[in-house]
């Protein structure tokens, strides 16, 4: 599985757009990128998954360039409740995403 | 309501004792997972199971054991061989092979005294 690298922490203010980048230089052809959000003392929650270009849902967008060596999670107009840790994972579609390994994540702090 | 139930939520154990953490799901998911999380750290994969009666070691399986006798249940035993068992343990399940979407329980916090 490709190793992922994310910034340890980020700061933002309410109402701003936040972009969190994940590096996965050794991503394989059948790998997909998945992002999770975790609040303290809770299990992570799935946010979004993508393979290439752009994916958007009701809470976030995921941008993946053509070489797929990185991806960016975009959170529009963040609020205080978006303060959490965000994890980027790479999963192998051929195995049905059998083994899912979390990295260290990015701790996002949203201030008033 | 469908979901994943972990118990107990808090557990204290003396050194040298084995302890079993329960994980039950009623989502009819095939795959189940156990992760460990230490304070301020990410999640580390202990064991995972794709089907009943089959499971694989994750990255930190030493000192842990699991069983998967029923689709709904995936208990984790923390044995006395686990050198530093104090941690937050999270169980998850996944029902779709075309996605990496895991559904997590609320976690079990184990403290070794």
């Amino acid at each position: 599985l490709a190793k992922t690298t994310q910034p340890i922490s980020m700061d933002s203010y309410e109402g701003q757009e936040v972009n969190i980048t994940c590096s996965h230089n050794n991503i394989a052809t059948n790998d997909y990128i998945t992002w999770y959000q975790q609040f303290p003392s809770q299990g992570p929650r799935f946010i979004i998954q993508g393979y290439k270009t752009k994916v958007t849902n009701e809470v976030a967008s995921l941008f993946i360039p053509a070489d797929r060596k990185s991806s960016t999670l975009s959170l529009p107009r963040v609020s205080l409740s978006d303060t959490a840790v965000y994890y980027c994972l790479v999963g192998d579609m051929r195995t049905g995403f059998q083994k899912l390994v979390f990295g260290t994540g990015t701790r996002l702090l949203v201030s008033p | 309501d469908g979901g994943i139930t972990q118990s107990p939520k808090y557990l204290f154990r003396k050194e040298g004792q084995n302890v079993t953490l329960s994980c039950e799901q009623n989502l009819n998911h095939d795959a189940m997972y156990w992760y460990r999380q230490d304070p301020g750290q990410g999640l580390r994969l202990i064991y995972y199971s794709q089907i009943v009666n089959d499971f694989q070691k994750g990255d930190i399986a030493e000192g842990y054991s699991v069983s998967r006798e029923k689709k709904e249940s995936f208990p984790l035993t923390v044995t006395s061989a686990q050198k530093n068992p104090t941690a937050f343990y999270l169980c998850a399940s996944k029902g779709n092979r075309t996605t990496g979407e895991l559904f997590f329980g609320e976690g079990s916090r184990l403290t070794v005294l």
Side-chain angles (χ1 to χ4, degrees), chain A:
Chain A
L1 288 174
K3 182 178 170 162
T4 59
T5 303
Q6 303 174 232
I8 294 174
S9 63
M10 295 182 68
D11 294 320
S12 183
Y13 293 96
E14 280 190 296
Q16 289 190 335
E17 178 184 76
V18 170
N19 294 308
I20 305 174
T21 298
C22 178
S23 171
H24 26 80
N25 289 320
N26 296 323
I27 193 167
T29 302
N30 296 294
D31 288 341
Y32 279 63
I33 299 117
T34 309
W35 285 80
Y36 282 81
Q37 175 193 56
Q38 185 184 27
F39 298 114
S41 297
Q42 293 185 24
R45 182 176 67 103
F46 174 88
I47 302 174
I48 198 166
Q49 177 172 297
Y51 182 78
K52 61 180 178 181
T53 62
K54 177 182 175 182
V55 179
T56 297
N57 62 21
E58 61 275 9
V59 298
S61 294
L62 177 59
F63 297 92
I64 305 167
D67 67 5
R68 304 201 325 120
K69 292 183 183 298
S70 67
S71 58
T72 299
L73 176 72
S74 181
L75 305 172
R77 298 179 299 282
V78 294
S79 64
L80 297 177
S81 63
D82 291 315
T83 293
V85 178
Y86 293 83
Y87 295 95
C88 161
L89 284 71
V90 170
D92 187 348
M93 172 72 161
R94 289 174 305 172
T95 67
F97 301 93
Q98 189 176 118
K99 186 175 182 182
L100 292 167
V101 176
F102 286 74
T104 52
T106 298
R107 194 171 298 271
L108 173 66
L109 175 62
V110 180
S111 300

Side-chain angles (χ1 to χ4, degrees), chain B residues 4 23 31-35 90-94 102-105:
Chain B
I4 299 177
C23 179
M32 296 188 74
Y33 299 75
W34 274 105
Y35 291 90
L90 286 157
C91 178
S93 71
K94 187 168 76 69
L102 293 168
F103 293 82
F104 281 86

Side-chain angles (χ1 to χ4, degrees), chain B residues 43-64:
Chain B
L43 283 72
R44 291 186 289 169
L45 182 62
I46 306 173
Y47 270 98
Y48 57 106
S49 167
Q50 299 302 299
I51 56 173
V52 174
N53 292 323
D54 187 44
F55 48 83
Q56 290 77 40
K57 293 182 179 180
D59 298 324
I60 57 164
E62 185 175 349
Y64 299 98

Side-chain angles (χ1 to χ4, degrees), chain B residues 98-111:
Chain B
T98 64
T99 176
E101 182 174 3
L102 293 168
F103 293 82
F104 281 86
E106 293 189 345
S108 293
R109 193 169 298 278
L110 172 64
T111 302

